[in-house]
């Protein structure tokens, strides 16, 4: 059934194919998965794609108690979240692609999630219906109105069982607040507000108010020719509702406190690692751009992903990261060709496990990397159709950078840069992970001995 990490020992796995209509050799652009997110309990897993669809997977109820199959997720609901639009004022097409999905903590039987494309954020309610009302007084069972003069008795409607139906309905639409493309949304720990970030601004929203938001960060210069950096990611602190961080294309991270001022132009903390002058090159600025930032569940650390590495920062130490993990250092010699094919601008995400003891991020050739923070060991695994047999053990992969290549190694020159894992998610409580590889979703769990 599935696979992942117990002191970085991995084995069997379950694969979920998101787009059954896609062929083995390729897929339509609309089928490509653009975001993956577990809910707070890990029982639901949502994916968004470039076609504006949201697909929600639910863990099999009977698999919760069966150790060997506890990673089995099946499709629970599918709905069209966003449609393509056209901005007539600016003559721009607005893509339907889902950039981010964030779940709200569950308060009742229904589930709520936020989904965002480039310009608009929507709050969706996902609820179940397994009963229907019958025995109306004013209409027949087929829905036609009855003649009022022929109604001689008063009937009490009753609830009758029906096949389970999962409904997704939009409860709020938060629009017209972003001039530039939204790259992040993050629910605050007060569960009443959330922030959304684009290239130059960060807005704070109340979940009940759609017609206005508060601009809390604005880095747009008066003269756009003086623009030197853009916001790449933003996230709320998991426990302190006044604190949030945002990263930039210059490789810096700013921690802001909303108690200090209404407009957080002045940061509380500024995290930056000094650059080694000896390693400076034409590509230094590009590969130092941060593509993702994530607080640890404890709130003590944060993790950033740049093009070649993942860094873990202690919030109490601004001058350098406490841990640095090389994701694919063997690509440093290939930066010129990666620049020419635009791969150098790929935005890889990263995620923590539930106990903050391990981290995961993606790479090329459908490889993904996992790092154990306690033992400092790491492993490279591959999500592919070739090794998708049930309960098959995932074998560690190694990349050969030069010299004689061993039997199980793959040469750096034969890596497929069209196969890339940008989006990953880790179950908040268990060793179950979701990995998006183009139009396929793979789910792995750790081996149960």
């Amino acid at each position: 059934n599935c696979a992942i990490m117990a002191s970085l020992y991995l084995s069997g796995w379950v694969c979920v194919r998101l787009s059954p209509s896609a062929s083995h050799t390729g897929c339509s652009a609309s089928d490509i998965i653009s975001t993956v997110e577990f809910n707070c309990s890990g029982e639901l897993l949502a994916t968004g794609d470039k076609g504006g669809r949201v697909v929600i997977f639910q863990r099999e109820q009977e698999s919760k108690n069966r150790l060997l199959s506890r990673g089995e997720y099946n499709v629970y609901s599918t709905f069209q979240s966003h449609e393509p639009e056209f901005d007539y004022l600016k003559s721009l097409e607005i893509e339907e692609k889902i950039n981010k999905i964030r779940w709200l903590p569950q308060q009742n039987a229904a589930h709520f999630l936020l989904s965002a494309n480039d310009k608009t954020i929507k709050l969706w309610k996902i609820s179940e219906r397994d009963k229907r009302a019958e025995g109306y007084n004013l209409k027949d069972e087929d829905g036609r109105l009855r003649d009022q003069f022929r109604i001689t008795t008063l009937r009490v409607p009753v609830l009758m069982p029906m096949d389970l139906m999962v409904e997704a309905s939009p409860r709020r639409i938060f629009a017209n607040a972003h001039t530039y493309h939204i790259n992040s949304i993050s629910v605050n720990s007060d569960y009443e507000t959330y922030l959304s970030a684009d290239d130059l601004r960060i807005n704070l929203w109340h979940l009940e108010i759609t017609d206005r938001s508060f601009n809390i960060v604005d880095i747009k210069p008066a003269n756009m020719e003086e623009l030197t950096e853009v916001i790449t990611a933003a996230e709320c602190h998991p426990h302190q509702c006044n604190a949030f961080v945002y990263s930039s294309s210059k490789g810096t991270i700013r921690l802001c406190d909303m108690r200090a001022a209404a407009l957080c132009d002045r940061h509380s903390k500024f995290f930056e690692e000094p650059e080694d002058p000896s390693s400076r090159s034409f590509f230094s600025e590009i590969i130092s751009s941060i593509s993702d930032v994530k607080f640890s569940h404890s709130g003590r650390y944060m993790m950033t992903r740049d093009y070649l590495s993942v860094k873990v920062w202690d919030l109490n130490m601004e001058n350098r990261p406490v841990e640095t993990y090389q994701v694919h250092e063997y690509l440093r010699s290939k930066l010129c060709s990666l620049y020419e094919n635009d791969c150098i601008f790929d935005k890889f995400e990263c995620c923590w496990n539930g106990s903050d003891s391990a981290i995961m991020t993606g790479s090329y050739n459908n490889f993904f990397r996992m790092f154990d923070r306690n033992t400092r060991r790491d492993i490279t695994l591959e999500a592919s159709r070739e090794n998708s047999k049930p309960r098959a053990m995932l074998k560690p992969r190694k990349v050969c950078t030069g010299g004689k290549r061993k039997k199980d190694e793959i040469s750096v020159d034969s890596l497929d840069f069209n196969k890339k894992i940008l989006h990953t998610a880790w179950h908040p409580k268990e060793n179950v992970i979701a990995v998006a590889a183009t139009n396929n979703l793979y789910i792995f769990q750790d081996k149960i001995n």
Side-chain angles (χ1 to χ4, degrees):
N1 277 344
C2 32
I4 186 188
M5 185 159 194
S7 133
L8 290 173
Y9 174 74
L10 286 92
S11 67
W13 61 284
V14 167
C15 167
V16 179
R17 185 182 173 196
L18 183 64
S19 307
S21 59
S23 69
H24 281 245
T25 54
C27 66
S28 68
S30 64
D31 291 329
I32 295 173
I33 300 170
S34 52
T35 184
V36 183
E37 187 79 4
F38 279 103
N39 76 335
C40 301
S41 67
E43 297 304 305
L44 297 178
L45 171 66
T47 66
D49 64 25
K50 286 193 172 183
R53 295 179 296 266
V54 172
V55 180
I56 300 174
F57 297 88
Q58 183 184 46
R59 172 182 265 184
E60 282 293 289
Q61 295 299 314
E62 61 269 23
S63 77
K64 290 182 188 178
N65 303 318
R66 298 206 320 263
L67 292 177
L68 283 174
S69 60
R70 72 176 198 275
E72 288 186 3
Y73 285 75
N74 287 324
V75 175
Y76 177 63
S77 177
T78 304
F79 59 93
Q80 188 73 31
S81 174
H82 288 70
E83 301 279 358
E85 297 176 54
F86 191 80
D87 186 335
Y88 293 96
L89 199 61
K90 297 178 180 175
S91 296
L92 286 174
E93 287 186 20
I94 301 170
E95 275 189 312
E96 64 270 38
K97 173 193 163 193
I98 308 296
N99 292 337
K100 282 287 182 287
I101 289 174
R102 289 291 180 265
W103 290 91
L104 273 63
Q106 189 175 5
Q107 309 287 352
N108 50 38
H111 297 272
F112 289 86
L113 64 80
L114 290 165
S115 63
N117 70 347
D118 284 342
K119 300 291 183 182
T120 305
I121 304 158
K122 295 183 181 181
L123 175 65
W124 290 89
K125 177 183 179 182
I126 294 93
S127 55
E128 295 182 353
R129 264 201 347 195
D130 59 358
K131 291 181 175 63
R132 68 171 184 270
E134 290 184 0
Y136 289 104
N137 289 283
L138 300 179
K139 59 184 180 182
D140 294 324
E141 300 305 325
D142 59 3
R144 289 183 297 179
L145 288 175
R146 298 174 66 190
D147 185 350
Q148 294 183 19
F149 297 104
R150 302 175 70 179
I151 300 174
T152 57
T153 59
L154 183 65
R155 292 190 291 182
V156 178
V158 293
L159 290 174
M160 301 295 289
M162 58 176 273
D163 292 337
L164 179 67
M165 187 167 69
V166 181
E167 294 179 318
S169 53
R171 305 308 298 232
R172 305 273 187 279
I173 297 178
F174 307 88
N176 306 319
H178 285 280
T179 307
Y180 307 97
H181 291 179
I182 297 170
N183 56 46
S184 303
I185 53 176
S186 179
V187 180
N188 209 339
S189 60
D190 59 11
Y191 305 141
E192 289 185 352
T193 57
Y194 75 93
L195 62 79
S196 59
D198 64 25
D199 295 337
L200 297 178
R201 296 188 179 100
I202 300 175
N203 294 332
L204 182 70
W205 299 84
H206 194 285
L207 285 163
E208 298 291 329
I209 302 170
T210 60
D211 59 351
R212 66 183 181 274
S213 62
F214 295 98
N215 180 225
I216 53 175
V217 173
D218 188 347
I219 64 168
K220 182 182 179 184
N223 181 2
M224 284 295 278
E225 291 181 2
E226 297 171 4
L227 182 68
T228 58
E229 64 180 333
V230 294
I231 297 167
T232 56
E235 188 172 65
C236 295
H237 192 279
H239 307 303
Q240 300 169 13
C241 61
N242 54 283
F244 68 95
V245 294
Y246 68 93
S247 58
S248 87
S249 56
K250 277 192 168 180
T252 62
I253 312 104
R254 292 170 174 85
L255 176 71
C256 299
D257 189 337
M258 287 185 272
R259 297 172 300 184
L263 189 64
C264 300
D265 282 345
R266 293 184 178 177
H267 48 263
S268 301
K269 292 190 175 184
F270 183 76
F271 300 85
E272 182 179 27
E273 185 175 26
E275 186 186 16
D276 181 4
S278 64
S279 63
R280 175 142 187 92
S281 71
F282 171 77
F283 305 107
S284 294
E285 197 168 311
I286 301 174
I287 62 174
S288 67
S289 175
I290 294 172
S291 56
D292 196 18
V293 58
K294 293 273 173 62
F295 277 109
S296 63
H297 295 88
S298 67
R300 170 70 188 271
Y301 302 96
M302 65 178 174
M303 168 172 55
T304 59
R305 170 72 208 259
D306 56 42
Y307 189 66
L308 293 178
S309 64
V310 172
K311 294 172 183 174
V312 176
W313 302 77
D314 188 323
L315 294 190
N316 298 325
M317 191 168 82
E318 302 169 51
N319 59 341
R320 60 185 174 85
V322 290
E323 299 161 29
T324 300
Y325 301 97
Q326 300 301 331
V327 178
H328 38 219
E329 183 64 21
Y330 47 79
L331 294 182
R332 192 175 289 276
S333 61
K334 302 286 182 185
L335 291 178
C336 190
S337 57
L338 290 164
Y339 178 77
E340 289 173 357
N341 62 17
D342 283 347
C343 284
I344 200 169
F345 301 106
D346 286 334
K347 292 176 170 54
F348 293 94
E349 296 174 5
C350 52
C351 61
W352 301 86
N353 73 338
S355 62
D356 299 332
S357 62
I359 55 183
M360 173 174 61
T361 190
S363 182
Y364 294 104
N365 209 67
N366 278 359
F367 289 170
F368 59 98
R369 302 267 286 142
M370 306 177 83
F371 304 92
D372 189 319
R373 296 181 62 208
N374 297 324
T375 64
R376 294 304 177 98
R377 293 172 60 201
D378 64 88
I379 196 168
T380 302
L381 298 163
E382 182 181 7
S384 68
R385 292 177 180 272
E386 285 68 34
N387 56 16
S388 61
K389 295 175 183 176
R391 301 190 184 183
M393 182 172 172
L394 276 185
K395 295 178 181 177
R397 302 301 306 267
K398 287 189 177 178
V399 177
C400 173
T401 54
K404 191 173 182 181
R405 184 168 64 89
K406 295 179 182 176
K407 181 184 176 184
D408 295 331
E409 291 183 340
I410 181 170
S411 168
V412 68
D413 295 316
S414 58
L415 294 175
D416 189 342
F417 294 107
N418 292 316
K419 294 179 179 178
K420 57 191 84 171
I421 291 179
L422 303 177
H423 314 286
T424 58
W426 204 312
H427 191 291
K429 297 183 176 74
E430 299 177 22
N431 279 339
V432 176
I433 59 167
V435 174
T438 321
N439 64 315
N440 295 304
L441 179 70
Y442 296 91
I443 297 176
F444 304 109
Q445 81 176 42
D446 61 344
K447 167 139 173 138
I448 306 299
N449 292 313

